[in-house]
Amino acid sequence: MNALSVSTAISTGRVNLITNRQRSLTVARWRALWLAMVFVSIGAVALVRLAFLGVSDSATTVTSLEQALLPPRGEITDRNGIPLARAFPAYALWYNPEALGESGAPLVKSPQQVADELMAIFPDLDREELVETLDAGKATYLRRRVLPEDANRVQAIGELALEMPHENDRHYPQGSMAAHALGYIDASGNGQVGMEQVLDERLKDPALRGQPVALSIDMRVQGALEDELRRGMLSVNAVGAAGIVLDVDTGEVLALASLPEFNPNKIDVEGESYMFNRVTNQVYELGSTFKPLTVAAAIDAGVVRDFGRRYDASPVPIGGFTIRDSHPLGATLNVPEALIHSSNTVTARIADELGAKRLRQTMIDLGMNERPYIELPARGFPIWPGKDWPRIRNMTVGYGHGIAVTPLHLASAYAAMVNGGVWRPATMHKLAAGEAPRGRRVFKASTSARMRQLLRMISVYGTGRSADAPGYRVGGKTGSAEKPGAGGYRRSSLISTFAAAFPMDRPRYVVVAMLDEPQGTTASSFQRTAAWNAAPIVGNLVPRIGPLLGIRPDDARDVDISDLRPLIGGGGE
C-alpha cells in the first residue's frame, strides 16, 4: 500500500468518525427533547390540576395518623367504663358467582353440598333459602358479622365464589342486655331506637369519636334487673315486663329493661317486633300505685292533717257508677290503713276533698301530662284526662284509673315523693358531682317525710310485704289494674306494678317493676295481682343491687313510724 492509499484511508476513517459522532449527538438531542417534552407535559397536567382545585369548591382533605387510627364510630360505655357498643374489624360472607368467570359454573361443588358445609359453620342459616340463593347465581351477602375463626372455616371450603371482604362492624359485647337503652346501627351505619340514635352525630364526629360516651347505666344493676324481671315474667306467663332503677337525687337511670328484648348484634324480624320500649313508650293505667301520690297531694294541701281520722270505706256511688274496693275492708279506715289495704273508696273520697284543680296541678307538676323527660327517642304521650275534670274523673285518677302514663313517669314521680319533694327529669347520661338539675318543687319536705313513713308501712304491714328485703328498709306500693279494651275493661288482662324506694330512712333509689298480663295458676288467681308477682321481683332485686350501689343491709336502722303504728288496727300486727 502506497502513501496515497494510506492517506485516503485515514481521511475516510476520520469522516466516518465525525459522521458517527454527529449521528450520536443528534440522537442525544432528540432524546433530550423528548424527555423535556415529557416533563413539560407532566408540568402542564400538574398546573391544570392546581388550577382545577383553585376554582373548584373541593378542598384537599388532610387526615392525621390519629384520625386514621380512630374507629369510624365512637364507643359507648356504662358509668363504670364497661364497653356497651364499640367498632371492630370483621368479615362478611359475600357470594360472587362470577369469581370463576362468566362462562363457567359459579361453584365447583353443588349448591346443596356448599349449603351443608356453610350450615355446619352457621347453623342458624335457612338451608332451603341458602340453596336457592346459591343456585340462582346472583351476587349477594350470605351473612354479615363473621368472626375471624369462622372466616377461616369458610375459606377452607375451597369455593372462590365465597368471598370474605373486610368491613368495620358495630359490636355489642353485652349482647341483648340494655338493648332498649342502647339501640343498634342499621345497614347504612346510622343509629336507631336508643342512645345510638340520640348520639349519632356525636359518635361520628372525628373530633369527638375518640372519647367514649359514658351512660348512666350500671351494667351490674342492669343484669340483675333483667334477670329478676325475666324470672318473674316467666313464672306467671306474662306477655311482657318492664323495670327501671332510678337515682332519686339526680334522675340518673341505673337500669332500664323492657322484655322481651332484642339482640342488637343480630337484627331480624323477631327482634324488630321486640323493639317497642315498655318503660318509656307504652302508657298504662298503673292503678293503685297512684294512691300515695294522691295522699301526698292531700297532705301537702292541708286536706289530710289528722292521720287518725276515720274515712267512710263503703262503696261510692257517683255518675251512674259505683267505686268499690276489691274486697270488704271494714266500715271505716284511716289514711295509713287505706294505703296499707289499698282502699279505692277512701282514696276516692280523699281525692274528692282535695278537688280536681289541686290534684290535676300536682299531676302536671309531676310531668304526667306530657311525654316523659329522658333522652331516648321512644317516648309515649300519656292518656291525659284534659283540662276540666268532672268529679268522677278526679276520683278515679286518685286511685290510678282514667289516666295512663309510662313506668318512667311513675318512677320520676316516686323519686320526687321520697327525695324531699323535688321532681327532676330522668337522664341516660352519667352526671358528674354537682351536675344534677335543680328540678322543681312539688311537695313540701315535711310531706315527703310523711310519705316515706307511709310507704314503709305498706311494705311492713300491707300489700308490699313480699318486697320487704331484710335490712334494706324498702317502702312501696302495689298496683293491679285491668287493661282497657273494646266495650270497657278486660277483667282477664291485668297490669301488675310495684313502685318502691330504698332505703326509706334515706332514700337513694326508686325501683319500678311491672308485668303485662300475668296469668294466675289453677291453685290461685291471686298470683295475677301485684302483691303476688311484681312485689317479689323488687324483694329479690334489692338485695342483689344494694351492695353494688354502696347500700348494705342494716337491721338496726329504719324510718321511724312509731307515731303512726298505733293507728293500725291491732297495733300493726
Side-chain angles (χ1 to χ4, degrees):
M1 180 178 299
N2 55 26
L4 182 58
S5 300
V6 171
S7 176
T8 301
I10 292 174
S11 178
T12 302
R14 288 177 178 175
V15 172
N16 291 336
L17 180 60
I18 292 172
T19 301
N20 290 337
R21 286 178 178 176
Q22 290 177 341
R23 186 180 295 111
S24 298
L25 184 59
T26 300
V27 171
R29 287 174 177 170
W30 276 108
R31 288 177 177 174
L33 181 60
W34 279 109
L35 187 60
M37 291 175 66
V38 169
F39 279 112
V40 169
S41 300
I42 293 173
V45 171
L47 288 174
V48 171
R49 176 61 177 168
L50 289 174
F52 172 76
L53 292 176
V55 299
S56 69
D57 293 332
S58 302
T60 303
T61 301
V62 178
T63 302
S64 66
L65 178 61
E66 180 183 10
Q67 290 176 330
L69 293 176
L70 286 176
R73 190 176 182 89
E75 184 174 296
I76 300 177
T77 71
D78 83 336
R79 63 186 305 107
N80 300 311
I82 296 175
L84 304 181
R86 63 187 352 173
F88 79 109
Y91 295 91
L93 177 53
W94 174 258
Y95 179 48
N96 180 13
E98 297 181 359
L100 292 177
E102 297 183 1
S103 59
L107 297 170
V108 176
K109 306 171 187 176
S110 68
Q112 292 78 8
Q113 186 176 356
V114 173
D116 289 337
E117 295 188 50
L118 287 174
M119 289 291 296
I121 304 172
F122 310 111
D124 57 327
L125 291 175
D126 187 312
R127 187 182 183 281
E128 293 184 6
E129 182 178 337
L130 185 58
V131 171
E132 183 179 345
T133 300
L134 295 173
D135 194 43
K138 183 179 179 180
T140 185
Y141 281 106
L142 299 180
R143 190 180 184 87
R144 310 295 291 267
R145 292 191 173 106
V146 178
L147 297 174
E149 55 268 30
D150 291 333
N152 291 333
R153 295 176 64 187
V154 170
Q155 290 178 339
I157 295 176
E159 291 286 352
L160 293 180
L162 302 179
E163 298 179 351
M164 305 298 300
H166 286 271
E167 58 180 19
N168 283 311
D169 199 4
R170 191 69 163 170
H171 181 58
Y172 300 89
Q174 312 305 323
S176 61
M177 197 179 300
H180 289 86
L182 286 171
Y184 68 100
I185 298 299
D186 63 18
S188 300
N190 298 317
Q192 299 292 334
V193 177
M195 293 304 287
E196 288 277 27
Q197 179 176 336
V198 175
L199 300 169
D200 197 49
E201 293 185 6
R202 160 69 174 78
L203 296 172
K204 292 177 179 178
D205 190 338
L208 300 173
R209 68 189 186 204
Q211 191 70 25
V213 177
L215 301 185
S216 59
I217 296 289
D218 186 322
M219 289 309 289
R220 303 169 302 173
V221 179
Q222 180 73 30
L225 175 62
E226 291 190 18
D227 183 48
E228 294 298 340
L229 273 179
R230 188 176 294 105
R231 291 187 189 190
M233 182 179 74
L234 296 176
S235 68
V236 292
N237 197 29
V239 299
I244 186 170
V245 179
L246 187 73
D247 188 308
V248 303
D249 293 320
T250 67
E252 291 173 285
V253 176
L254 276 295
L256 182 152
S258 177
L259 301 179
E261 72 278 41
F262 65 93
N263 185 354
N265 288 313
K266 181 187 177 184
I267 302 300
D268 52 19
V269 175
E270 183 182 25
E272 289 179 352
S273 67
Y274 296 150
M275 287 182 186
F276 196 83
N277 192 334
R278 298 175 188 269
V279 180
T280 66
N281 203 18
Q282 179 64 62
V283 296
Y284 306 90
E285 289 191 358
L286 295 175
S288 297
T289 57
F290 268 57
K291 292 174 182 174
L293 299 175
T294 301
V295 170
I299 294 172
D300 216 61
V303 172
V304 171
R305 289 190 175 95
D306 180 6
F307 289 88
R309 173 188 169 185
R310 309 299 297 184
Y311 289 83
D312 183 3
S314 64
V316 182
I318 181 170
F321 298 91
T322 302
I323 298 173
R324 295 183 171 87
D325 288 322
S326 60
H327 58 282
L329 298 174
T332 62
L333 297 170
N334 58 36
V335 167
E337 291 173 334
L339 288 177
I340 286 172
H341 300 296
S342 196
S343 172
N344 295 335
T345 59
V346 171
T347 307
R349 288 185 166 97
I350 291 174
D352 194 35
E353 287 189 28
L354 177 63
K357 182 178 179 181
R358 287 186 289 195
L359 182 57
R360 180 178 181 274
Q361 188 58 51
T362 298
M363 294 301 166
I364 290 174
D365 291 341
L366 293 171
M368 299 291 192
N369 65 325
E370 52 192 339
R371 298 183 190 276
Y373 281 81
I374 197 168
E375 297 85 357
L376 294 174
R379 298 177 299 124
F381 197 87
I383 298 177
W384 177 249
K387 184 177 181 180
D388 297 318
W389 293 7
R391 188 180 175 201
I392 187 173
R393 176 66 70 196
N394 181 57
M395 287 184 172
T396 60
V397 169
Y399 59 88
H401 287 264
I403 181 173
V405 298
T406 68
L408 177 57
H409 279 105
L410 185 66
S412 295
Y414 266 61
M417 186 167 55
V418 302
N419 71 3
V422 179
W423 180 92
R424 291 184 177 87
T427 180
M428 293 298 301
H429 290 289
K430 179 183 179 180
L431 301 180
E435 284 187 348
R438 293 184 61 183
R440 59 174 177 255
R441 180 161 293 281
V442 180
F443 303 114
K444 300 170 186 175
S446 58
T447 299
S448 181
R450 274 299 188 193
M451 294 313 301
R452 292 196 290 269
Q453 290 178 300
L454 292 169
L455 289 171
R456 179 67 179 133
M457 292 177 76
I458 296 171
S459 292
V460 174
Y461 305 117
T463 56
R465 279 176 289 186
S466 55
D468 187 20
Y472 288 96
R473 296 93 72 197
V474 177
K477 183 68 185 77
T478 54
S480 303
E482 295 171 356
K483 295 177 73 172
Y489 288 92
R490 294 182 290 166
R491 292 185 175 274
S492 61
S493 300
L494 290 183
I495 295 295
S496 296
T497 310
F498 189 74
F502 76 101
M504 290 309 294
D505 53 311
R506 172 60 179 90
R508 293 277 307 281
Y509 301 99
V510 160
V511 181
V512 173
M514 189 209 75
L515 294 172
D516 191 348
E517 296 190 25
Q519 305 300 311
T521 64
T522 54
S524 174
S525 62
F526 286 108
Q527 289 187 348
R528 297 172 60 233
T529 61
W532 293 89
N533 50 47
I537 293 174
V538 176
N540 293 331
L541 176 65
V542 168
R544 293 183 61 176
I545 67 175
L548 300 175
L549 299 173
I551 301 173
R552 299 190 178 279
D554 187 347
D555 292 323
R557 298 179 58 182
D558 210 333
V559 62
D560 183 9
I561 57 174
S562 58
D563 60 330
L564 296 180
R565 187 180 294 112
L567 300 179
I568 304 172
E573 297 300 327

PDB file of all heavy atoms in Angstrom, residues 251-266:
ATOM      1  N   GLY A 251     -81.752  11.794  89.068  1.00  0.00           N
ATOM      2  CA  GLY A 251     -82.531  11.383  87.907  1.00  0.00           C
ATOM      3  C   GLY A 251     -81.799  10.433  86.987  1.00  0.00           C
ATOM      4  O   GLY A 251     -82.319  10.068  85.924  1.00  0.00           O
ATOM      5  N   GLU A 252     -80.592  10.005  87.349  1.00  0.00           N
ATOM      6  CA  GLU A 252     -79.833   9.072  86.507  1.00  0.00           C
ATOM      7  C   GLU A 252     -80.509   7.705  86.495  1.00  0.00           C
ATOM      8  O   GLU A 252     -80.919   7.188  87.535  1.00  0.00           O
ATOM      9  CB  GLU A 252     -78.407   8.933  87.027  1.00  0.00           C
ATOM     10  CG  GLU A 252     -77.555  10.171  86.856  1.00  0.00           C
ATOM     11  CD  GLU A 252     -76.212  10.027  87.536  1.00  0.00           C
ATOM     12  OE1 GLU A 252     -76.185  10.112  88.791  1.00  0.00           O
ATOM     13  OE2 GLU A 252     -75.198   9.837  86.848  1.00  0.00           O
ATOM     14  N   VAL A 253     -80.597   7.120  85.307  1.00  0.00           N
ATOM     15  CA  VAL A 253     -81.174   5.791  85.145  1.00  0.00           C
ATOM     16  C   VAL A 253     -80.061   4.766  85.292  1.00  0.00           C
ATOM     17  O   VAL A 253     -79.174   4.670  84.452  1.00  0.00           O
ATOM     18  CB  VAL A 253     -81.860   5.648  83.772  1.00  0.00           C
ATOM     19  CG1 VAL A 253     -82.361   4.228  83.576  1.00  0.00           C
ATOM     20  CG2 VAL A 253     -83.004   6.644  83.641  1.00  0.00           C
ATOM     21  N   LEU A 254     -80.101   3.997  86.377  1.00  0.00           N
ATOM     22  CA  LEU A 254     -79.080   2.976  86.619  1.00  0.00           C
ATOM     23  C   LEU A 254     -79.368   1.708  85.840  1.00  0.00           C
ATOM     24  O   LEU A 254     -78.453   0.965  85.497  1.00  0.00           O
ATOM     25  CB  LEU A 254     -78.982   2.660  88.113  1.00  0.00           C
ATOM     26  CG  LEU A 254     -78.121   3.559  89.005  1.00  0.00           C
ATOM     27  CD1 LEU A 254     -76.666   3.461  88.625  1.00  0.00           C
ATOM     28  CD2 LEU A 254     -78.589   5.004  88.978  1.00  0.00           C
ATOM     29  N   ALA A 255     -80.622   1.452  85.559  1.00  0.00           N
ATOM     30  CA  ALA A 255     -81.010   0.269  84.783  1.00  0.00           C
ATOM     31  C   ALA A 255     -82.380   0.519  84.174  1.00  0.00           C
ATOM     32  O   ALA A 255     -83.236   1.161  84.793  1.00  0.00           O
ATOM     33  CB  ALA A 255     -81.032  -0.986  85.665  1.00  0.00           C
ATOM     34  N   LEU A 256     -82.560   0.012  82.960  1.00  0.00           N
ATOM     35  CA  LEU A 256     -83.834   0.150  82.249  1.00  0.00           C
ATOM     36  C   LEU A 256     -84.025  -1.104  81.404  1.00  0.00           C
ATOM     37  O   LEU A 256     -83.170  -1.419  80.569  1.00  0.00           O
ATOM     38  CB  LEU A 256     -83.833   1.408  81.387  1.00  0.00           C
ATOM     39  CG  LEU A 256     -85.097   1.747  80.592  1.00  0.00           C
ATOM     40  CD1 LEU A 256     -85.177   3.270  80.390  1.00  0.00           C
ATOM     41  CD2 LEU A 256     -85.108   1.081  79.221  1.00  0.00           C
ATOM     42  N   ALA A 257     -85.110  -1.816  81.640  1.00  0.00           N
ATOM     43  CA  ALA A 257     -85.317  -3.087  80.943  1.00  0.00           C
ATOM     44  C   ALA A 257     -86.741  -3.196  80.426  1.00  0.00           C
ATOM     45  O   ALA A 257     -87.696  -2.858  81.128  1.00  0.00           O
ATOM     46  CB  ALA A 257     -85.017  -4.264  81.878  1.00  0.00           C
ATOM     47  N   SER A 258     -86.862  -3.662  79.196  1.00  0.00           N
ATOM     48  CA  SER A 258     -88.146  -3.953  78.574  1.00  0.00           C
ATOM     49  C   SER A 258     -88.056  -5.355  77.985  1.00  0.00           C
ATOM     50  O   SER A 258     -87.178  -5.640  77.168  1.00  0.00           O
ATOM     51  CB  SER A 258     -88.446  -2.922  77.472  1.00  0.00           C
ATOM     52  OG  SER A 258     -89.655  -3.219  76.816  1.00  0.00           O
ATOM     53  N   LEU A 259     -88.934  -6.229  78.432  1.00  0.00           N
ATOM     54  CA  LEU A 259     -88.906  -7.619  77.989  1.00  0.00           C
ATOM     55  C   LEU A 259     -90.198  -7.968  77.246  1.00  0.00           C
ATOM     56  O   LEU A 259     -91.259  -7.465  77.606  1.00  0.00           O
ATOM     57  CB  LEU A 259     -88.744  -8.563  79.195  1.00  0.00           C
ATOM     58  CG  LEU A 259     -87.502  -8.368  80.055  1.00  0.00           C
ATOM     59  CD1 LEU A 259     -87.502  -9.363  81.213  1.00  0.00           C
ATOM     60  CD2 LEU A 259     -86.225  -8.510  79.242  1.00  0.00           C
ATOM     61  N   PRO A 260     -90.086  -8.818  76.209  1.00  0.00           N
ATOM     62  CA  PRO A 260     -88.891  -9.458  75.674  1.00  0.00           C
ATOM     63  C   PRO A 260     -87.937  -8.437  75.039  1.00  0.00           C
ATOM     64  O   PRO A 260     -88.371  -7.395  74.561  1.00  0.00           O
ATOM     65  CB  PRO A 260     -89.435 -10.417  74.609  1.00  0.00           C
ATOM     66  CG  PRO A 260     -90.899 -10.570  74.917  1.00  0.00           C
ATOM     67  CD  PRO A 260     -91.310  -9.269  75.507  1.00  0.00           C
ATOM     68  N   GLU A 261     -86.662  -8.776  75.021  1.00  0.00           N
ATOM     69  CA  GLU A 261     -85.652  -7.898  74.482  1.00  0.00           C
ATOM     70  C   GLU A 261     -85.228  -8.349  73.090  1.00  0.00           C
ATOM     71  O   GLU A 261     -85.608  -9.434  72.640  1.00  0.00           O
ATOM     72  CB  GLU A 261     -84.431  -7.844  75.403  1.00  0.00           C
ATOM     73  CG  GLU A 261     -83.570  -9.115  75.404  1.00  0.00           C
ATOM     74  CD  GLU A 261     -84.116 -10.196  76.314  1.00  0.00           C
ATOM     75  OE1 GLU A 261     -85.348 -10.395  76.335  1.00  0.00           O
ATOM     76  OE2 GLU A 261     -83.320 -10.875  76.972  1.00  0.00           O
ATOM     77  N   PHE A 262     -84.432  -7.534  72.415  1.00  0.00           N
ATOM     78  CA  PHE A 262     -83.863  -7.908  71.121  1.00  0.00           C
ATOM     79  C   PHE A 262     -82.345  -7.904  71.219  1.00  0.00           C
ATOM     80  O   PHE A 262     -81.771  -7.352  72.169  1.00  0.00           O
ATOM     81  CB  PHE A 262     -84.338  -6.951  70.013  1.00  0.00           C
ATOM     82  CG  PHE A 262     -83.856  -5.536  70.178  1.00  0.00           C
ATOM     83  CD1 PHE A 262     -82.680  -5.100  69.565  1.00  0.00           C
ATOM     84  CD2 PHE A 262     -84.575  -4.621  70.934  1.00  0.00           C
ATOM     85  CE1 PHE A 262     -82.233  -3.796  69.713  1.00  0.00           C
ATOM     86  CE2 PHE A 262     -84.136  -3.311  71.084  1.00  0.00           C
ATOM     87  CZ  PHE A 262     -82.969  -2.903  70.470  1.00  0.00           C
ATOM     88  N   ASN A 263     -81.702  -8.536  70.257  1.00  0.00           N
ATOM     89  CA  ASN A 263     -80.247  -8.607  70.230  1.00  0.00           C
ATOM     90  C   ASN A 263     -79.730  -7.623  69.185  1.00  0.00           C
ATOM     91  O   ASN A 263     -79.915  -7.836  67.989  1.00  0.00           O
ATOM     92  CB  ASN A 263     -79.782 -10.026  69.897  1.00  0.00           C
ATOM     93  CG  ASN A 263     -78.262 -10.166  69.990  1.00  0.00           C
ATOM     94  OD1 ASN A 263     -77.540  -9.194  70.193  1.00  0.00           O
ATOM     95  ND2 ASN A 263     -77.770 -11.392  69.841  1.00  0.00           N
ATOM     96  N   PRO A 264     -79.078  -6.527  69.595  1.00  0.00           N
ATOM     97  CA  PRO A 264     -78.593  -5.539  68.620  1.00  0.00           C
ATOM     98  C   PRO A 264     -77.493  -6.077  67.715  1.00  0.00           C
ATOM     99  O   PRO A 264     -77.208  -5.469  66.678  1.00  0.00           O
ATOM    100  CB  PRO A 264     -78.074  -4.396  69.498  1.00  0.00           C
ATOM    101  CG  PRO A 264     -77.769  -5.024  70.815  1.00  0.00           C
ATOM    102  CD  PRO A 264     -78.750  -6.135  70.978  1.00  0.00           C
ATOM    103  N   ASN A 265     -76.878  -7.203  68.081  1.00  0.00           N
ATOM    104  CA  ASN A 265     -75.872  -7.819  67.217  1.00  0.00           C
ATOM    105  C   ASN A 265     -76.500  -8.576  66.054  1.00  0.00           C
ATOM    106  O   ASN A 265     -75.819  -8.909  65.088  1.00  0.00           O
ATOM    107  CB  ASN A 265     -74.993  -8.792  68.018  1.00  0.00           C
ATOM    108  CG  ASN A 265     -74.041  -8.071  68.948  1.00  0.00           C
ATOM    109  OD1 ASN A 265     -73.371  -7.125  68.548  1.00  0.00           O
ATOM    110  ND2 ASN A 265     -73.998  -8.503  70.199  1.00  0.00           N
ATOM    111  N   LYS A 266     -77.799  -8.855  66.164  1.00  0.00           N
ATOM    112  CA  LYS A 266     -78.476  -9.617  65.123  1.00  0.00           C
ATOM    113  C   LYS A 266     -79.919  -9.129  65.015  1.00  0.00           C
ATOM    114  O   LYS A 266     -80.796  -9.573  65.750  1.00  0.00           O
ATOM    115  CB  LYS A 266     -78.452 -11.116  65.436  1.00  0.00           C
ATOM    116  CG  LYS A 266     -79.127 -11.979  64.371  1.00  0.00           C
ATOM    117  CD  LYS A 266     -79.217 -13.424  64.803  1.00  0.00           C
ATOM    118  CE  LYS A 266     -79.957 -14.253  63.768  1.00  0.00           C
ATOM    119  NZ  LYS A 266     -80.153 -15.651  64.200  1.00  0.00           N
TER     120      LYS A 266
END
